[in-house]
Amino acid sequence: MSSKITPNTVSPPKKVRVGVLGATGTVGQRFVTLLSEHPWFIIEALGASERSKGRKYREAVKWKQTIPLGGLAADLIVKGCTPEEFKTCQLVFSGLDADVAGDIEYAFRAANIPLFSNAKNYRRDPHVPLIVPLVNPSHFSIIPQQQSLHSPLLSKGFIVTNANCSTTGYVIPLAALEKAFGPIESVLVTTMQAISGAGYPGVPSLDILGNVVPYIGGEEEKIEWETLKILGGITDSENETDKNGAPLKTFDMHQAGGRPALRVSASCNRVPVVDGHMECVSLRFHRRPPPSPQQVREALSVFTPEIQSLGCPSSPRKAIEVFEEPDRPQPRLDVKGTHNGAGVSVGRVRQCQVLDIKFVVLSDNVSIGAATSSIINAEYAVLKGIVS
Amino acid sequence: MSSKITPNTVSPPKKVRVGVLGATGTVGQRFVTLLSEHPWFIIEALGASERSKGRKYREAVKWKQTIPLGGLAADLIVKGCTPEEFKTCQLVFSGLDADVAGDIEYAFRAANIPLFSNAKNYRRDPHVPLIVPLVNPSHFSIIPQQQSLHSPLLSKGFIVTNANCSTTGYVIPLAALEKAFGPIESVLVTTMQAISGAGYPGVPSLDILGNVVPYIGGEEEKIEWETLKILGGITDSENETDKNGAPLKTFDMHQAGGRPALRVSASCNRVPVVDGHMECVSLRFHRRPPPSPQQVREALSVFTPEIQSLGCPSSPRKAIEVFEEPDRPQPRLDVKGTHNGAGVSVGRVRQCQVLDIKFVVLSDNVSIGAATSSIINAEYAVLKGIVS
Amino acid sequence: MSSKITPNTVSPPKKVRVGVLGATGTVGQRFVTLLSEHPWFIIEALGASERSKGRKYREAVKWKQTIPLGGLAADLIVKGCTPEEFKTCQLVFSGLDADVAGDIEYAFRAANIPLFSNAKNYRRDPHVPLIVPLVNPSHFSIIPQQQSLHSPLLSKGFIVTNANCSTTGYVIPLAALEKAFGPIESVLVTTMQAISGAGYPGVPSLDILGNVVPYIGGEEEKIEWETLKILGGITDSENETDKNGAPLKTFDMHQAGGRPALRVSASCNRVPVVDGHMECVSLRFHRRPPPSPQQVREALSVFTPEIQSLGCPSSPRKAIEVFEEPDRPQPRLDVKGTHNGAGVSVGRVRQCQVLDIKFVVLSDNVSIGAATSSIINAEYAVLKGIVS
Amino acid sequence: MSSKITPNTVSPPKKVRVGVLGATGTVGQRFVTLLSEHPWFIIEALGASERSKGRKYREAVKWKQTIPLGGLAADLIVKGCTPEEFKTCQLVFSGLDADVAGDIEYAFRAANIPLFSNAKNYRRDPHVPLIVPLVNPSHFSIIPQQQSLHSPLLSKGFIVTNANCSTTGYVIPLAALEKAFGPIESVLVTTMQAISGAGYPGVPSLDILGNVVPYIGGEEEKIEWETLKILGGITDSENETDKNGAPLKTFDMHQAGGRPALRVSASCNRVPVVDGHMECVSLRFHRRPPPSPQQVREALSVFTPEIQSLGCPSSPRKAIEVFEEPDRPQPRLDVKGTHNGAGVSVGRVRQCQVLDIKFVVLSDNVSIGAATSSIINAEYAVLKGIVS
């Protein structure tokens, strides 16, 4: 069940003291679960709302994970979400709800604390990278600009966000295909998303038991927008400069650089599945003729993201598992895969009668779709020296 | 709950004696339920396999409907599926399994008995119409040719099929849109289909509870192919003639007549829902500029199939219910609608970033998707004098 | 689907103007659905919280019934829950939440308005009857005392409560058995309760999808206590008198009158079922030898409550449907039964190796378990002249 | 996740070559999963039906486990279920279906191969022990008699069965309580059983999705009967002797030895849960006064079966996990527990108003309820030298 890679070329760092904001929530619990067994990261502080503050974590949390709460975290005293209470942490993860994440995360960055956030608040910020670790960790390159534009200038603090769970799952095979075959022009994606993606209490059972809800508020817009930012590059602005007169870096939203524009159309559905987002994807390549289904299968299967070769300990052994069986992947059987939910599974690669290729992708929305992505992002930042 | 229309211009026919083949199966039970309350049709005979033959229907059947079995049908003695045992029937419905439907249905037609079949066996036959009653009852016009090509020539017998449940549901709004806005060029449809579509015992619970299965054997091909036959016209063959030298009529599969070809791409999924197929549809019109979402909503809402104006008693009062709420329709709340499952529900009509328009359609797969369609087809044939 | 009985001996009353409190909630929606088709009761006023007040009902409500909202109620303007706004109503139904029902219901009674409540607040009041209409409408006899003890004395106002949904379902066969075979000494009941029993949003889907929760707060105590009040009689107090010196009537809680005490032990579970509480019941009679399973089946089957012979229009045609099939009743197939959820279904009557007899009972928790019971109680009160 | 105990006093045995009969079925797949990681047992041979014979296991099996099939077993060639093909195995596990297990298991024993069976066929045999490894491994003492009564006399072959899954789960806390407080007189158990208990394809989804089925064929009789054999002792027969004139040993079915008879009443239900049988138990002790709920909790919590102290590697670290939270255990969260499904979880220990004590117990029906029990039985036999 281990998904560890022992890199040959990178010295494992010393222990890194980390904190978790929003630790009693659904994503926060997942952070605690994963960090409790992490080879580098040591949970130093857990933060939650006023209601939980001052209580032992095991008593403050309504634990909803299938792995029992154990380890040192269980007995930590929950703190408030203020930078002062986390000043011994070298970096902090945020599983905060969007309604409070904006101010709190701003304050942590201002206090010079590197922050890896699962919240949506800063995803659209033109200086904050939106990083799916198996796809675009190169976007960390905008961090110096983010720090230099802050007043006062920041030496260590920054905000990095990871993407929405349904974006994360399907953008990984898209990235693999663009790497192999060049630009994709059009993508139609129809999702069937698990209830755990909505947190707790989340979806009322009367709404979803034996039912499908063909709507998730804001989700389609997120997929359509985030895909452009993640798959796009970073270019120098022609108009804006920083304080030193150097051109400002800008996310080109996948529209610039002479490449054909990418159009994305998403239809999002909630289905009565606990964990695992299924997404039916149809796409059209720019290149004519397009690759065959067999070429697509091979390109997906051999895709090796930078985080794997770099040796991030939470990276999956295989980024994309390609199934040959006609009825796989399925959430109940395959959501964890052989990689503890850190990779994704693709199946049913075949020709599309309208676009070029269609397939289905399954991702573990609470792992690679949430906490695991934040953690790999942090591992990358540590290995690259972005966090010291 | 009544969906009856009392036509002003058509005299209600006398009672019509009907039979049901495959009466103990899932579709057969639905036939019995609907026919037990039908204003014209009287169940005269029920046929099933050898195992059930000779027993009272109530004892032979493992009743799985939520409406209790009652009425005269309950005490009928189940017969074998031979034409001799149904010779007093004026028409027969078939809910037979595909593995036996081929020979039995052929024998019934040869015995000059009109047969309305839910089985797939004759759907691709070039002389058998594939009729979704809210869409293409005009295809009954091929029946005389079907009869004249039979040897010996048939005076009354014929086979009419209705479409696969997932095809039926989504082809109704397609027909409404082609009627209003002209040809559609491309359709991408992703289905989330209920377990009742697979019959009984059908899908093992271990495969579908809390799960999604991204595959239904043969289903995508059926949707892609049946759509072309249903939405296409009937033209005179240039090469073939019948015995009298008249040109043979041919289904043009939506490719002929100068109109642009229609391309259909389907992705089919099974979800843990009891009744109600949900389908996410994206499409591109030939016409430029395409209609707006609001125009599409209106065209769907006012769509009135011929069977309604003709006064078929099982036709829905409204063919297509258009929802404005963002999260509707949903199978659990809306599958029966105000029309006892004889119409379909459409929601979320909006622009598609890749094609022109996208929406979701919900249909009751055991009603309009199966037995109800056969029954409306038979009503139409009675009103038009095709069955005497 | 009709469950109407046309009584021969009772003149149907003129139209009765009624109101509904808590009309936008789950139980309130069920009241509106049932009253919209009621032969006597006309919805005159709908009350809800401040948030909904002043809006059209169709806009204020998040409709969650499978029967579409229609009729006159849809366009009523929602009122606040004050007696002044309901003074034209001859009686009022309450689907209020317990946290507000106490004060509001008190005010309505004080304003001389008869109130039929589904809330739990007054169930334990020693002068308020707790009436399961198929079991103990005779407890209406305490109403005069309730009115005379109020200050100022009430001429028309009173409060009648119906029981908790899980109590209601299983107490009906208990009453039938006590009527036929005399006192029951012990009952062990294990429930498997539907999610609709918890209202909306109610049970989070993450708690119940593919799961069983072996606990429902306060439910076991309610069953154990309510059973005693419902099955017990009303006796004259030896110690207390009313203002006229007459002995106060007291609920004897099934303990008095020389009969053996009744002991009830309940274990309550939530299961992933939408509608329909299943309850496994084992019981011991006082009488030795106890009746046989066949005698029990017959006694349940012939049970005819007073409301049926009296002609309450919402009473079921059959109070208890007894199934012979070994695997019935089941919620999905049998919850509505032939009686639109106004009766209950019993199956698997057999000997118990520890007590005497065991069986399973299924009841429609949103019908006879909630709104339907209140409505039948009101019908009874109208027919008996308790409401004028 | 490890449930290994490293015994101090027992030398780990050498590698033991084992076979699995019925290897492609649900229980067989579980055997293969567990044995693939077993510290002692090496899968030497896999047997299945003619249809699978001669194919690679990975191709013959329709793998339905959440842990991917891997290891050496995947490439073994499936054999037929004849003793000749398993003669190199030191012991064999049987996951055979009951309709074929009788003859095949008999043949294996006759061929002098020790056989640990999950099938029901020999459970009632008066010389075959029915062993729940956490409860009555002492019943292995009847093996010499089983061997000596066989003709020809057996030196190594025998059959040991484990119990039905629903019996196994609840009999463990019963054994713990009898050990602490003496005989139990009466037990009432109501089960809510997972679909995986019925194998594959097992329960049709149309029967169980959003439903409860209050019946599992033969299950109640199994629980009522097996409990007596498991909890009873082995005594010398007064009437029968073996060939040497020594008294035959007999299972006393919990009725003999001066102890009060045990009466068991079971009600079995199928619920829409994938894995994990929940059972609501009420019981009465012989001892007066009975122990308090707190005493019961403690007795359950400290219960240490012989297999733990002996050092069976698959034994749970804790036999019975006692929950204090009012709403636990729950199948989805707790079925695997900290012991990989080898122990059971008990919650809601409280007084019963009719008997003495009631509680709920959750067991992993595919682990301790099936394959894990067979494996621990085999480990015990190896450690005790019963298998050489």
Side-chain angles (χ1 to χ4, degrees):
Chain A
M1 299 280 274
S2 166
S3 61
K4 309 298 185 319
I5 287 182
T6 312
N8 295 322
T9 56
V10 180
S11 306
K14 296 197 184 70
K15 295 302 181 185
V16 179
R17 296 182 308 278
V18 307
V20 178
L21 301 175
T24 56
T26 305
V27 175
Q29 291 183 28
R30 188 78 189 151
F31 272 124
V32 171
T33 302
L34 291 168
L35 293 171
S36 293
E37 300 186 338
H38 198 275
W40 305 346
F41 297 149
I42 304 296
I43 300 178
E44 176 95 357
L46 299 173
S49 66
E50 283 302 309
R51 199 180 57 250
S52 301
K53 188 178 166 179
R55 301 169 65 191
K56 275 194 180 177
Y57 183 62
R58 69 164 74 249
E59 287 153 14
V61 73
K62 180 89 177 156
W63 192 251
K64 294 281 176 184
Q65 308 296 305
T66 56
I67 297 173
L69 169 60
L72 298 174
D75 292 314
L76 287 178
I77 302 298
V78 175
K79 306 187 176 201
C81 290
T82 61
E84 298 73 43
E85 306 202 61
F86 286 75
K87 60 187 167 193
T88 60
C89 295
Q90 293 167 274
L91 61 90
V92 166
F93 297 101
S94 166
L96 290 167
D97 284 339
D99 54 351
V100 298
D103 290 348
I104 295 175
E105 296 185 352
Y106 191 92
F108 272 72
R109 178 174 64 179
N112 238 336
I113 299 176
L115 188 132
F116 297 83
S117 175
N118 192 62
K120 70 178 178 188
N121 305 57
Y122 290 97
R123 287 185 193 151
R124 287 178 177 249
D125 185 299
H127 308 298
V128 170
L130 175 60
I131 299 183
V132 173
L134 286 79
V135 173
N136 64 326
S138 63
H139 285 194
F140 267 106
S141 64
I142 208 157
I143 295 295
Q145 173 169 302
Q146 184 189 141
Q147 294 176 322
S148 74
L149 289 173
H150 193 273
S151 171
L153 190 143
L154 297 169
S155 57
K156 295 191 295 185
F158 60 79
I159 295 175
V160 164
T161 62
N162 51 284
N164 187 44
C165 47
S166 54
T167 309
T168 301
Y170 100 118
V171 86
I172 295 169
L174 293 193
L177 294 177
E178 291 217 325
K179 185 174 176 188
F181 305 114
I184 293 169
E185 281 185 0
S186 309
V187 184
L188 253 152
V189 57
T190 302
T191 71
M192 294 169 284
Q193 298 183 224
I195 57 173
S196 59
Y200 186 85
V203 185
S205 54
L206 274 171
D207 282 341
I208 200 63
L209 189 63
N211 203 15
V212 170
V213 180
Y215 178 70
I216 302 174
E219 194 83 358
E220 297 174 353
E221 294 74 12
K222 282 185 207 163
I223 292 179
E224 292 171 3
W225 188 92
E226 293 183 0
T227 304
L228 302 184
K229 184 166 181 179
I230 294 163
L231 291 183
I234 295 179
T235 57
D236 286 348
S237 167
E238 294 182 14
N239 306 316
E240 296 179 277
T241 55
D242 68 13
K243 297 165 184 171
N244 303 323
L248 272 186
K249 292 175 184 298
T250 310
F251 293 103
D252 70 8
M253 299 301 293
H254 214 237
Q255 310 297 325
R259 63 152 289 160
L262 172 62
R263 290 181 301 160
V264 180
S265 174
S267 296
C268 293
N269 302 279
R270 187 77 69 191
V271 292
V273 165
V274 173
D275 287 326
H277 287 352
M278 294 283 277
E279 307 186 56
C280 291
V281 180
S282 283
L283 55 83
R284 181 180 162 89
F285 293 93
H286 182 62
R287 146 178 161 171
R288 301 281 95 191
S292 70
Q294 185 53 29
Q295 289 174 312
V296 165
R297 255 177 240 119
E298 285 163 13
L300 294 171
S301 195
V302 303
F303 177 62
T304 307
E306 183 189 359
I307 56 158
Q308 285 184 310
S309 37
L310 194 64
C312 292
S314 300
S315 84
R317 269 182 300 201
K318 199 156 169 29
I320 303 175
E321 186 84 39
V322 179
F323 282 78
E324 299 288 340
E325 298 91 332
D327 61 349
R328 302 289 278 269
Q330 299 173 13
R332 193 172 78 71
L333 296 176
D334 304 314
V335 67
K336 289 295 172 196
T338 45
H339 315 293
N340 199 26
V344 301
S345 297
V346 168
R348 306 210 66 220
V349 180
R350 60 211 194 284
Q351 282 193 311
C352 176
Q353 282 67 20
V354 172
L355 303 178
D356 292 336
I357 289 285
K358 56 186 173 182
F359 58 83
V360 62
V361 56
L362 167 69
S363 59
D364 186 347
N365 55 293
V366 298
S367 299
I368 191 63
T372 301
S373 276
S374 278
I375 291 174
I376 302 178
N377 282 343
E379 292 169 358
Y380 181 92
V382 166
L383 284 176
K384 288 285 194 177
I386 301 165
V387 166
S388 54
Chain B
M1 299 280 273
S2 165
S3 59
K4 309 298 184 319
I5 285 182
T6 311
N8 295 323
T9 56
V10 180
S11 307
K14 296 198 184 68
K15 296 301 182 185
V16 179
R17 298 182 307 279
V18 308
V20 178
L21 301 175
T24 55
T26 305
V27 175
Q29 291 184 28
R30 187 77 187 151
F31 273 124
V32 171
T33 301
L34 292 168
L35 293 171
S36 293
E37 300 185 338
H38 199 276
W40 305 346
F41 297 149
I42 305 296
I43 300 177
E44 175 95 358
L46 299 173
S49 66
E50 284 301 309
R51 198 181 57 251
S52 301
K53 189 178 166 180
R55 301 169 66 191
K56 276 194 179 176
Y57 182 63
R58 69 163 74 248
E59 288 155 13
V61 73
K62 182 85 178 159
W63 193 251
K64 292 281 177 185
Q65 308 297 304
T66 57
I67 297 173
L69 169 60
L72 298 175
D75 291 315
L76 287 179
I77 303 299
V78 175
K79 305 186 178 204
C81 290
T82 61
E84 298 73 43
E85 306 203 60
F86 286 76
K87 60 187 165 192
T88 61
C89 294
Q90 293 167 275
L91 61 87
V92 166
F93 296 101
S94 166
L96 291 168
D97 284 341
D99 54 352
V100 297
D103 291 347
I104 295 175
E105 295 185 353
Y106 190 92
F108 271 72
R109 178 174 64 179
N112 238 337
I113 299 175
L115 189 134
F116 296 84
S117 174
N118 192 64
K120 70 178 179 189
N121 304 57
Y122 290 97
R123 286 184 194 153
R124 287 178 176 247
D125 184 299
H127 308 297
V128 171
L130 175 60
I131 299 183
V132 173
L134 287 79
V135 173
N136 63 327
S138 64
H139 285 194
F140 267 106
S141 65
I142 209 160
I143 295 295
Q145 173 170 304
Q146 184 190 141
Q147 294 176 321
S148 73
L149 289 174
H150 193 273
S151 174
L153 189 144
L154 298 169
S155 57
K156 296 192 292 186
F158 61 78
I159 295 175
V160 164
T161 61
N162 49 284
N164 187 44
C165 48
S166 55
T167 309
T168 300
Y170 100 119
V171 86
I172 295 170
L174 293 193
L177 294 177
E178 291 218 325
K179 186 175 175 185
F181 306 115
I184 293 169
E185 281 183 0
S186 308
V187 184
L188 252 153
V189 56
T190 302
T191 72
M192 294 169 284
Q193 300 183 222
I195 56 171
S196 59
Y200 185 86
V203 184
S205 55
L206 274 172
D207 281 342
I208 199 63
L209 189 64
N211 202 14
V212 170
V213 180
Y215 179 68
I216 302 174
E219 194 82 357
E220 296 175 353
E221 294 75 11
K222 282 186 207 164
I223 293 179
E224 292 172 3
W225 189 90
E226 293 182 2
T227 303
L228 302 185
K229 184 166 181 178
I230 294 163
L231 290 183
I234 295 180
T235 56
D236 287 347
S237 167
E238 294 180 16
N239 306 316
E240 297 180 276
T241 56
D242 67 14
K243 295 166 185 169
N244 304 321
L248 272 185
K249 293 175 184 299
T250 310
F251 293 102
D252 71 5
M253 300 301 293
H254 214 237
Q255 310 295 327
R259 62 153 291 163
L262 172 62
R263 289 181 302 159
V264 180
S265 175
S267 296
C268 293
N269 302 280
R270 187 76 68 190
V271 292
V273 165
V274 173
D275 288 324
H277 288 351
M278 295 283 277
E279 308 185 56
C280 291
V281 181
S282 284
L283 54 84
R284 179 181 163 86
F285 292 94
H286 181 62
R287 148 177 161 172
R288 301 282 97 190
S292 71
Q294 185 53 30
Q295 289 173 309
V296 165
R297 255 177 240 120
E298 285 162 14
L300 295 172
S301 196
V302 303
F303 177 60
T304 307
E306 184 189 358
I307 56 157
Q308 284 184 310
S309 38
L310 192 65
C312 291
S314 300
S315 84
R317 271 182 299 203
K318 201 157 169 24
I320 304 175
E321 187 84 40
V322 179
F323 282 78
E324 298 289 339
E325 298 90 331
D327 61 351
R328 301 289 277 269
Q330 299 174 12
R332 194 172 77 71
L333 296 176
D334 304 314
V335 67
K336 289 294 171 197
T338 46
H339 314 295
N340 197 27
V344 301
S345 297
V346 168
R348 308 210 64 220
V349 180
R350 60 210 194 284
Q351 283 193 309
C352 176
Q353 282 68 21
V354 171
L355 304 178
D356 292 336
I357 289 285
K358 56 186 173 183
F359 57 84
V360 63
V361 56
L362 168 68
S363 60
D364 185 347
N365 55 294
V366 297
S367 299
I368 192 62
T372 301
S373 276
S374 277
I375 291 174
I376 302 179
N377 282 343
E379 293 168 357
Y380 180 91
V382 167
L383 284 175
K384 288 285 194 178
I386 301 165
V387 165
S388 54
Chain C
M1 298 282 274
S2 165
S3 61
K4 309 297 185 321
I5 286 182
T6 312
N8 295 321
T9 56
V10 179
S11 306
K14 296 198 184 70
K15 296 301 182 186
V16 179
R17 298 182 307 278
V18 307
V20 178
L21 301 175
T24 55
T26 304
V27 175
Q29 291 185 27
R30 188 77 187 151
F31 273 124
V32 171
T33 301
L34 291 168
L35 293 171
S36 292
E37 300 187 337
H38 198 276
W40 306 346
F41 297 150
I42 305 295
I43 301 178
E44 175 94 358
L46 300 173
S49 66
E50 284 301 309
R51 198 180 57 249
S52 302
K53 189 178 165 179
R55 302 169 65 192
K56 276 194 181 178
Y57 182 63
R58 69 164 73 249
E59 287 154 14
V61 73
K62 181 88 177 156
W63 193 251
K64 293 282 177 183
Q65 308 296 305
T66 57
I67 297 173
L69 170 60
L72 298 175
D75 291 316
L76 287 179
I77 303 298
V78 175
K79 305 186 176 204
C81 290
T82 62
E84 297 73 44
E85 306 204 58
F86 286 75
K87 60 186 165 192
T88 60
C89 295
Q90 292 167 273
L91 61 89
V92 167
F93 297 101
S94 165
L96 290 167
D97 283 341
D99 54 351
V100 299
D103 290 347
I104 294 175
E105 295 185 352
Y106 190 92
F108 271 73
R109 178 174 64 179
N112 237 337
I113 298 175
L115 188 133
F116 297 84
S117 174
N118 192 63
K120 71 178 179 189
N121 305 57
Y122 290 98
R123 286 185 194 154
R124 287 177 176 248
D125 184 299
H127 307 298
V128 170
L130 175 60
I131 298 183
V132 173
L134 287 79
V135 172
N136 64 327
S138 63
H139 285 194
F140 268 106
S141 65
I142 209 160
I143 294 296
Q145 174 169 301
Q146 184 189 141
Q147 294 176 321
S148 74
L149 289 173
H150 193 273
S151 174
L153 189 141
L154 298 169
S155 58
K156 295 192 293 186
F158 61 80
I159 294 175
V160 164
T161 61
N162 50 284
N164 187 43
C165 49
S166 55
T167 310
T168 300
Y170 101 118
V171 85
I172 294 170
L174 294 193
L177 294 177
E178 290 218 325
K179 186 176 175 186
F181 306 114
I184 293 168
E185 282 185 2
S186 308
V187 184
L188 252 153
V189 56
T190 302
T191 72
M192 294 169 284
Q193 299 183 223
I195 57 173
S196 59
Y200 185 87
V203 184
S205 55
L206 274 173
D207 281 341
I208 200 64
L209 189 63
N211 202 15
V212 169
V213 180
Y215 178 71
I216 302 174
E219 194 82 357
E220 297 175 352
E221 294 74 12
K222 283 186 207 162
I223 292 179
E224 292 171 4
W225 188 91
E226 293 183 2
T227 303
L228 302 184
K229 184 167 181 178
I230 294 163
L231 290 182
I234 295 180
T235 56
D236 287 348
S237 166
E238 294 180 16
N239 306 318
E240 295 179 276
T241 56
D242 66 14
K243 295 166 185 170
N244 303 322
L248 272 185
K249 291 175 184 301
T250 309
F251 294 102
D252 70 7
M253 300 302 291
H254 214 237
Q255 310 294 327
R259 62 153 290 162
L262 172 63
R263 290 181 300 160
V264 180
S265 174
S267 295
C268 292
N269 302 279
R270 187 77 68 192
V271 292
V273 165
V274 173
D275 288 324
H277 287 352
M278 294 282 279
E279 307 186 56
C280 291
V281 180
S282 284
L283 54 84
R284 181 182 161 87
F285 293 95
H286 182 60
R287 147 177 160 170
R288 301 282 98 189
S292 71
Q294 185 53 28
Q295 289 173 311
V296 165
R297 256 178 239 120
E298 285 163 12
L300 294 171
S301 195
V302 302
F303 177 61
T304 307
E306 183 189 358
I307 56 156
Q308 284 185 310
S309 38
L310 193 64
C312 291
S314 300
S315 83
R317 271 182 299 202
K318 200 157 170 26
I320 304 175
E321 186 84 39
V322 179
F323 282 77
E324 298 289 339
E325 298 90 333
D327 61 350
R328 302 287 279 270
Q330 298 174 13
R332 194 173 77 72
L333 297 177
D334 304 313
V335 66
K336 288 295 172 197
T338 47
H339 315 293
N340 198 26
V344 301
S345 297
V346 168
R348 306 209 67 219
V349 180
R350 59 210 194 283
Q351 283 192 311
C352 176
Q353 282 68 20
V354 171
L355 304 178
D356 291 337
I357 290 285
K358 58 185 172 183
F359 58 84
V360 62
V361 56
L362 167 69
S363 59
D364 185 347
N365 55 294
V366 296
S367 299
I368 193 62
T372 301
S373 277
S374 278
I375 290 174
I376 303 178
N377 283 342
E379 292 169 356
Y380 181 92
V382 167
L383 284 176
K384 288 287 194 180
I386 300 165
V387 165
S388 53
Chain D
M1 298 282 273
S2 167
S3 59
K4 309 299 184 321
I5 286 182
T6 311
N8 296 323
T9 56
V10 180
S11 307
K14 296 196 183 69
K15 295 302 182 185
V16 179
R17 298 182 308 278
V18 307
V20 177
L21 301 175
T24 56
T26 306
V27 175
Q29 291 184 28
R30 188 78 188 151
F31 273 124
V32 170
T33 302
L34 292 168
L35 293 171
S36 293
E37 301 185 338
H38 198 277
W40 305 346
F41 297 149
I42 304 297
I43 300 178
E44 175 95 359
L46 299 173
S49 66
E50 283 301 309
R51 199 180 56 250
S52 302
K53 189 177 165 181
R55 301 169 65 191
K56 275 194 180 177
Y57 182 64
R58 70 163 73 247
E59 288 154 14
V61 73
K62 181 87 178 158
W63 193 251
K64 293 282 177 183
Q65 309 296 304
T66 57
I67 297 173
L69 170 60
L72 299 175
D75 291 315
L76 286 179
I77 303 298
V78 175
K79 306 187 176 202
C81 289
T82 61
E84 297 73 41
E85 306 203 59
F86 286 76
K87 60 189 167 192
T88 60
C89 295
Q90 292 167 274
L91 62 89
V92 167
F93 297 101
S94 166
L96 291 167
D97 285 339
D99 55 351
V100 298
D103 290 348
I104 295 175
E105 296 184 352
Y106 190 93
F108 273 72
R109 178 175 64 180
N112 239 337
I113 300 175
L115 188 134
F116 296 83
S117 174
N118 192 62
K120 70 179 179 189
N121 305 57
Y122 290 97
R123 287 185 193 152
R124 286 177 177 248
D125 185 299
H127 308 298
V128 170
L130 175 60
I131 299 183
V132 173
L134 286 79
V135 173
N136 63 327
S138 64
H139 285 195
F140 267 107
S141 66
I142 208 159
I143 294 295
Q145 174 170 302
Q146 185 189 142
Q147 295 176 319
S148 74
L149 289 174
H150 192 274
S151 173
L153 190 142
L154 298 168
S155 58
K156 297 192 293 186
F158 60 79
I159 295 174
V160 164
T161 62
N162 50 284
N164 188 43
C165 49
S166 55
T167 308
T168 300
Y170 101 119
V171 85
I172 295 170
L174 293 192
L177 294 177
E178 290 218 326
K179 185 175 176 186
F181 306 115
I184 293 169
E185 279 184 1
S186 308
V187 183
L188 251 152
V189 58
T190 302
T191 71
M192 293 170 284
Q193 299 183 224
I195 57 173
S196 59
Y200 185 86
V203 185
S205 55
L206 275 172
D207 281 341
I208 199 64
L209 188 65
N211 203 15
V212 169
V213 179
Y215 179 70
I216 302 174
E219 194 82 357
E220 297 175 353
E221 295 75 12
K222 283 185 207 164
I223 293 179
E224 292 171 4
W225 189 90
E226 293 183 1
T227 304
L228 302 184
K229 183 166 181 178
I230 295 163
L231 291 182
I234 294 179
T235 57
D236 287 347
S237 166
E238 294 181 14
N239 306 315
E240 298 180 276
T241 56
D242 66 14
K243 295 165 185 170
N244 304 322
L248 273 185
K249 292 174 185 299
T250 309
F251 293 103
D252 71 7
M253 300 301 292
H254 213 238
Q255 310 296 326
R259 63 152 289 164
L262 171 61
R263 289 181 301 160
V264 180
S265 174
S267 296
C268 291
N269 302 279
R270 186 77 68 191
V271 293
V273 165
V274 173
D275 287 324
H277 288 352
M278 294 282 278
E279 308 185 55
C280 291
V281 181
S282 283
L283 55 83
R284 180 181 161 88
F285 292 94
H286 181 63
R287 145 177 163 173
R288 303 280 96 191
S292 71
Q294 186 52 31
Q295 289 173 309
V296 165
R297 255 178 240 118
E298 286 162 12
L300 294 172
S301 193
V302 303
F303 177 62
T304 306
E306 183 189 359
I307 56 157
Q308 284 184 311
S309 39
L310 194 64
C312 291
S314 301
S315 84
R317 270 182 299 203
K318 200 157 169 28
I320 304 176
E321 186 83 39
V322 179
F323 282 78
E324 298 289 339
E325 299 90 333
D327 61 350
R328 301 289 279 268
Q330 299 173 12
R332 194 173 77 72
L333 296 175
D334 305 313
V335 66
K336 289 294 171 198
T338 45
H339 315 292
N340 198 26
V344 300
S345 296
V346 168
R348 306 210 65 220
V349 180
R350 61 210 193 284
Q351 282 193 311
C352 176
Q353 283 66 21
V354 171
L355 303 178
D356 292 337
I357 288 284
K358 56 186 173 183
F359 58 82
V360 62
V361 56
L362 167 68
S363 60
D364 185 347
N365 55 292
V366 296
S367 298
I368 191 63
T372 301
S373 277
S374 277
I375 291 173
I376 303 178
N377 282 343
E379 292 168 358
Y380 181 92
V382 166
L383 284 175
K384 287 287 193 178
I386 302 166
V387 166
S388 55

